[in-house]
Amino acid sequence: MLPATVCMFLYLFAMLASASTVDPTALGFLKTKDPSSVLISGDIMYIADVSGLIVATTGPDDIKVNGSVPIPSATSVGIDGRYACVVSAYGLSVVDMKDPNNPTATAHLKIDSAIHVTMDNTLAFVSAQGKGLVIVDVTVPAKPYIAGSLPVLHAVDTFMVGTKAYVANYRDGFVVMDTSDASHPTIIAKYDDKEFEYVQQVVVSGNYAYVCEQTYGVFIVDLTDLTNMKIVSKFAASNANRIAVRKGVLYIAAFGKGLYWVDVTDPLNPMMIGLFLGNTEDIFMSGDYIGYVALGDDGIQALHFPPLSAAPSPSPGSSLVPMPQTDSPTSTPGTPGPSGSDGFPLVLLIIICASGVLLVVGICFLFRKKIRSKLPVGDHSNLLADKIYNPENPNLMTAEEMMLAEEELVVASGDKEDEVMLAE
């Protein structure tokens, strides 16, 4: 039994060692107040934080703050060349990024209910909820103006593919717009489904739209024919908030549910690779394997994801835990990987515990077997325990002592039966 238990323990330990190599590697970490959106352009990171716009340099092993601009309750940032556009509930702010160490706000344009912005050359596409999609021309950064708009019910996000804008319409699916004439955008198509309750974002990759829906997860929609769009598959992930698609992998930031890592090389059959626990609000992929995760009120964590060919079969992964708290944005180069305790995935910790239990059970079994070998065969009650086993003389009883003990046991049993009969 013991050799088998040891072999099982070694086997499980080998599984642990091999599995730990496929988890994302934690790189740099930046503590901020409450980031809601992150964007990378070159080696510059732009963070929309509750305190405003934070500008940092990322290696990504070492993230250092360069400067910041106070824009209360900033929710999204877009970048084009040397200018960044930041939106908050107060509208759109244009920031000159000529000197990343000293970003300077050059103008502000009031847009009610602005919540998200994406840039395309000198046009800023602002999702303004009930105000719809608002297109702002920032050719002259000091004098931005509204070039055009198109009212939709609940515009919360916009994804650009050429001159097509895919607008997440929250309670009403998503809308595809033609923005080739910025002053007169037009609706090309609309798509809604009974399973869409709160559409947060739409990302297009190839001929498919990945629809991030907060209640049920991510729906993959075939865009081959915009007049006949249809859902081809779905990946369940409650609380889905932001997504990114890169190299056949779908990343889903799902608030307190964590970060889902999904293989979508076959869009008709999405398969989960891992689930990384933590309060994830946004995910931005820089390059093919580097991801920057906004961890709610904890900060920004850079992660290196292994190539899909090295990914494990579907299984839970490691946790993204809060980093040390500080009063102002700081960087922690090479912070140890987000983990449950020592960086091990939860499922692997369970495996370790299970193997430990097996080892203890095996040892107990051996000890039990040895103790039984020292006792006489037969079922004896505690009544005769002092005669069956004497701590001062643990040797087996002689045959004569055994017979006397058994006779006493029979007599005692008979007395009890007589007592029962008299009582009846």
Side-chain angles (χ1 to χ4, degrees), residues 30 38-47 54-67 79 81 97-101 284 286-287 290 292 302:
L30 180 68
V38 58
L39 177 67
I40 309 293
S41 181
D43 61 350
I44 303 296
M45 176 188 295
Y46 303 86
I47 305 165
I54 298 173
V55 182
T57 302
T58 175
D61 297 290
D62 187 8
I63 306 174
K64 295 180 179 179
V65 174
N66 292 344
I79 185 73
M97 294 300 308
K98 182 178 181 180
D99 180 5
N101 295 311
F284 182 87
S286 178
I290 303 296
Y292 293 85

Side-chain angles (χ1 to χ4, degrees), residues 89-114:
Y90 305 99
L92 176 87
S93 296
V94 182
V95 179
D96 188 346
M97 294 300 308
K98 182 178 181 180
D99 180 5
N101 295 311
N102 187 32
T104 306
T106 62
H108 177 79
L109 183 64
K110 181 176 175 57
I111 302 175
D112 292 336
S113 304

Side-chain angles (χ1 to χ4, degrees), residues 173-417:
F174 68 91
V175 177
V176 185
M177 299 183 184
D178 180 4
T179 64
S180 54
D181 181 356
S183 60
H184 295 93
T186 57
I187 294 177
I188 301 174
K190 296 180 180 179
Y191 186 75
D192 198 2
D193 186 87
K194 62 181 180 180
E195 290 195 81
F196 290 174
E197 287 195 4
Y198 306 104
V199 174
Q200 298 282 71
Q201 182 186 12
V202 178
V203 171
V204 177
S205 180
N207 291 324
Y208 297 95
Y210 294 80
V211 182
C212 179
E213 197 281 321
Q214 191 173 37
T215 303
Y216 298 110
V218 177
F219 295 80
I220 303 178
V221 178
D222 188 346
L223 300 177
T224 304
D225 182 0
L226 292 181
T227 64
N228 186 31
M229 293 180 281
K230 59 184 179 181
I231 295 173
V232 295
S233 64
K234 177 180 74 171
F235 181 83
S238 62
N239 281 354
N241 184 55
R242 302 290 298 173
I243 60 175
V245 180
R246 185 63 67 95
K247 282 285 185 177
V249 179
L250 167 66
Y251 304 88
I252 309 169
F255 288 118
K257 300 294 185 180
L259 175 70
Y260 292 87
W261 180 23
V262 184
D263 181 351
V264 290
T265 48
D266 178 7
L268 277 63
N269 187 33
M271 296 289 292
M272 186 172 79
I273 303 169
L275 170 61
F276 309 96
L277 304 179
N279 184 25
T280 59
E281 291 194 13
D282 192 19
I283 170 72
F284 182 87
M285 294 301 296
S286 178
D288 294 334
Y289 308 113
I290 303 296
Y292 293 85
V293 183
L295 298 177
D297 56 2
D298 296 313
I300 303 293
Q301 175 70 62
L303 297 173
H304 178 271
F305 292 88
L308 194 56
S309 58
S313 56
S315 65
S318 56
S319 303
L320 293 178
V321 299
M323 299 298 175
Q325 301 294 313
T326 57
D327 295 331
S328 59
T330 58
S331 63
T332 308
T335 302
S339 62
S341 57
D342 283 331
F344 293 122
L346 177 61
V347 69
L348 298 180
L349 289 175
I350 294 173
I351 290 175
I352 291 177
C353 294
S355 60
V357 170
L358 287 175
L359 184 61
V360 171
V361 169
I363 294 173
C364 292
F365 179 83
L366 286 178
F367 274 103
R368 180 169 175 266
K369 192 172 183 181
K370 287 181 179 179
I371 292 173
R372 279 187 171 183
S373 67
K374 291 184 178 181
L375 298 176
V377 178
D379 183 15
H380 304 286
S381 68
N382 291 333
L383 177 66
L384 301 176
D386 60 328
K387 295 186 177 181
I388 295 173
Y389 182 76
N390 184 350
E392 296 180 358
N393 183 22
N395 297 324
L396 294 176
M397 291 190 295
T398 64
E400 185 178 351
E401 291 173 331
M402 174 67 74
M403 291 176 64
L404 290 173
E406 289 181 350
E407 287 176 2
E408 292 181 18
L409 182 62
V410 170
V411 171
S413 300
D415 291 341
K416 290 183 178 180
E417 290 177 0

